[in-house]
């Protein structure tokens, strides 16, 4: 069911739409024009105090993110992949463990499981929401438990394109089979489930500050959100060679996984405009929905969930022809993902018998349209008119 707020939206297709080309798929330059003086001031402050590693901006951002989301604690790290890895390390996930992940996601979700020494078990996704299908999750968990060779240890739901996964159903399955839940919220900062922000929905949430994310930095960065201070302290230790709080003595194996102070300074500025940008993303998604709903079947949102709108994606039968038409008309679009993970060379050894039909079908039909807070209504009309003309 569509839950996007459609108030204040002009839904009429305007034949006379002004062409404001070029339209960008993601426009970081427009955002930078808005915040550049603040970013420069923040970066200058870092150069003034000179603590390029673990400067005061790290604790400031950790606190700001915890305050924003309501999470108990937040630990910054080098990128979103590390966030997943540290969370698994902290839980002792390793050889002999099965970790259930959706097949329709970015490679990082699967790579992190393999780097932990565990076995990824691919789960199909729901055709309407693109997120992990709880029915298939339960089938896959039962199979692992029945075979008795691996311990059913963890599930990593991914909030694809910004929409929180079906946590109510996944929580229920996890509780019945004793699975730990680590949310992969790399794409969904700003999403909500039943009034809770991503970061405060699952016991552990990994997010990414890759520049194109809803909250990004100017390089790599990531964070893990926790409902437990104890877990967060373990991750703080892991990111600094397993040291104790003095950072002098190693008490466990760890790595160098710190986020740079300069990147934290950038995120602090972007966080100050985040809610305004999120509101703009919601407006754009609502306008897309309103303009396209008569022409194509739109994806559903899970009940109680609202997206952070990192991407606006649709499913088209004749995707490649339509995409070419858009390209010829200077409308950018992207395919996430060309192949589900279980069909990629790197992960095909873990492909389940019989495949994963929904993920395979989506990879042939999915298309993401331009999505960033600085798109104008006229540009959205232009994208939709061109798309509808191509159908
Ligand atoms: C679903 C998902 N998980 C994990 C990651 C990894 O994040 P990073 O690129 O910061 O390592 C990404 C990044 O695109 C992602 O989309």
């Amino acid at each position: 069911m569509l839950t996007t707020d459609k108030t204040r939206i002009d839904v009429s297709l305007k034949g006379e739409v002004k062409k404001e080309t070029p339209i960008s798929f993601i426009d970081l330059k427009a955002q930078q024009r808005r915040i550049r003086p603040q970013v420069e001031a923040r970066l200058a402050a870092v150069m003034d105090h000179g603590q390029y590693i673990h400067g005061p901006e790290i604790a400031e951002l950790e606190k700001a993110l915890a305050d924003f989301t309501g999470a108990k604690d937040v630990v910054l790290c080098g990128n979103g992949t590390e966030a997943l890895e540290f969370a698994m390390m902290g839980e002792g996930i390793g050889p002999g463990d099965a970790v259930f992940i959706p097949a329709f996601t970015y490679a990082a979700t699967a790579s992190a499981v393999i780097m932990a020494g565990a076995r990824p078990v691919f789960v199909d996704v729901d055709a309407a929401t693109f997120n992990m299908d709880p029915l298939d999750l339960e089938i896959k968990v039962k199979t692992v438990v029945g075979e008795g060779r691996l311990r059913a240890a963890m599930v990593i739901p991914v909030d694809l394109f910004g929409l929180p996964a079906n946590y109510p159903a996944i929580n229920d399955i996890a509780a019945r089979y004793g699975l730990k839940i680590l949310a992969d919220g790399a794409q969904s900062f700003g999403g909500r489930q039943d009034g809770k922000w991503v970061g405060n929905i699952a016991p552990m949430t990994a997010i990414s500050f890759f520049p194109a994310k809803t909250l990004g930095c100017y390089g790599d960065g990531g964070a893990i959100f926790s409902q437990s201070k104890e877990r967060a302290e373990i991750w703080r230790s892991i990111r600094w060679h397993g040291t104790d709080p003095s950072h002098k003595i190693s008490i466990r194996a760890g790595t160098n996984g710190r986020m740079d102070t300069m990147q934290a300074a950038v995120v602090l500025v972007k966080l100050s405009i985040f809610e305004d940008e999120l509101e703009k993303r919601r407006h754009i998604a609502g306008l897309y929905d309103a303009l396209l709903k008569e022409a194509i079947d739109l994806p559903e949102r899970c009940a109680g969930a609202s997206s952070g709108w990192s991407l606006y994606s649709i499913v088209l039968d004749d995707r490649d022809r339509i995409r070419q038409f858009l390209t010829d008309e200077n409308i950018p679009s992207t395919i996430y993902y060309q192949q589900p993970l279980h069909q990629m060379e790197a992960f095909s050894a873990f492909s389940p018998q019989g495949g994963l039909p929904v993920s395979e079908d989506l990879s042939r039909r999915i298309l993401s349209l331009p999505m960033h807070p600085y798109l104008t209504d006229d540009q959205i009309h232009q994208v939709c008119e061109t798309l509808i003309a191509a159908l």
Side-chain angles (χ1 to χ4, degrees):
M1 192 165 314
L2 293 175
T3 56
T4 315
D5 179 12
K6 296 197 190 72
T7 54
R8 293 179 290 108
I9 289 172
D10 175 8
V11 299
S12 58
L13 279 179
K14 307 183 197 170
E16 77 291 357
V17 166
K18 189 161 50 107
K19 288 204 172 177
E20 290 185 52
T21 45
I23 295 174
S24 301
F25 188 76
I26 286 172
D27 195 345
L28 292 175
K29 286 215 170 109
Q31 184 196 50
Q32 193 185 104
R33 280 194 290 277
R34 177 176 176 188
I35 55 171
R36 191 161 174 138
Q38 294 91 315
V39 171
E40 285 182 353
R42 275 282 188 177
L43 293 178
V46 175
M47 286 191 280
D48 286 345
H49 67 56
Q51 295 178 60
Y52 302 113
I53 300 294
H54 216 60
E57 287 78 2
I58 298 294
E60 185 183 346
L61 179 58
E62 288 180 343
K63 182 170 181 323
L65 291 169
D67 289 347
F68 183 87
T69 57
K72 273 251 164 58
D73 208 345
V74 178
V75 178
L76 299 178
C77 58
N79 52 64
T81 311
E82 267 182 2
L84 291 167
E85 288 171 358
F86 291 2
M88 279 187 274
M89 252 178 163
E91 301 305 302
I93 300 292
D97 287 337
V99 177
F100 301 87
I101 60 171
F104 197 61
T105 174
Y106 184 55
T109 320
S111 299
V113 175
I114 293 168
M115 297 305 275
R119 189 182 173 93
V121 178
F122 290 114
V123 177
D124 213 350
V125 294
D126 183 304
T129 65
F130 316 143
N131 277 332
M132 179 182 268
D133 177 0
L135 293 176
D136 196 48
L137 170 64
E138 183 148 18
I139 291 170
K140 297 292 190 295
V141 175
K142 275 186 178 158
T143 305
V144 166
V145 172
E147 285 170 355
R149 281 186 284 119
L150 296 169
R151 182 176 73 110
M154 180 179 262
V155 54
I156 309 184
V158 176
D159 305 338
L160 205 71
F161 306 148
L163 181 71
N166 188 345
Y167 289 99
I170 291 169
N171 287 346
D172 177 56
I173 295 166
R176 280 190 281 118
Y177 293 92
L179 301 173
K180 294 187 173 175
I181 303 175
L182 164 61
D184 182 341
Q187 300 182 8
S188 64
F189 191 76
R192 273 195 271 193
Q193 170 79 51
D194 296 325
K196 287 186 174 178
W197 290 104
V198 164
N200 193 25
I201 300 172
M204 300 177 270
T205 305
I207 76 154
S208 164
F209 298 122
F210 184 81
K213 303 299 186 196
T214 52
L215 182 63
C217 54
Y218 287 157
D220 275 314
I224 335 172
F225 292 67
S226 175
Q227 305 307 340
S228 134
K229 289 260 172 209
E230 292 72 31
R231 269 188 174 132
E233 284 316 311
I234 292 172
W235 302 334
R236 287 198 169 88
S237 167
I238 290 172
R239 78 173 169 191
W240 198 314
H241 294 291
T243 46
D244 67 2
S246 77
H247 302 306
K248 300 265 183 311
I249 296 157
S250 288
I251 52 175
R252 58 172 60 81
T255 185
N256 175 359
R258 294 172 299 241
M259 183 161 154
D260 294 347
T261 310
M262 290 237 182
Q263 297 302 345
V266 172
V267 177
L268 277 163
V269 177
K270 293 201 187 185
L271 187 60
S272 70
I273 58 164
F274 182 75
E275 284 200 84
D276 176 66
E277 289 195 334
L278 184 60
E279 192 46 48
K280 291 186 163 67
R281 286 180 188 273
R282 281 200 206 108
H283 169 78
I284 290 161
L287 188 50
Y288 268 135
D289 281 352
L291 292 174
L292 295 176
K293 69 173 192 281
E294 305 295 339
I296 54 172
D297 286 338
L298 293 173
E300 290 183 14
R301 331 277 184 244
C302 312
S306 71
S307 181
W309 293 114
S310 54
L311 289 167
Y312 186 92
S313 305
I314 54 175
V315 173
L316 298 165
D317 286 337
D318 202 2
R319 193 256 328 261
D320 293 338
R321 183 190 58 78
I322 294 168
R323 184 171 190 226
Q324 187 57 53
F325 188 94
L326 292 174
T327 306
D328 292 345
E329 295 293 317
N330 294 318
I331 308 279
S333 62
T334 308
I335 298 172
Y336 297 107
Y337 297 94
Q338 298 267 3
Q339 242 186 342
L341 295 185
H342 66 288
Q343 291 187 326
M344 289 188 186
E345 196 180 338
F347 311 114
S348 58
F350 307 106
S351 179
Q353 261 199 343
L356 296 163
V358 179
S359 300
E360 289 159 26
D361 180 55
L362 279 178
S363 68
R364 287 187 289 267
R365 300 200 296 138
I366 197 94
L367 189 70
S368 299
L369 302 177
M371 171 50 89
H372 62 79
Y374 302 95
L375 284 165
T376 64
D377 284 8
D378 275 344
Q379 287 177 319
I380 301 299
H381 276 271
Q382 193 183 329
V383 173
C384 293
E385 283 192 355
T386 312
L387 179 70
I388 290 168
L391 292 174

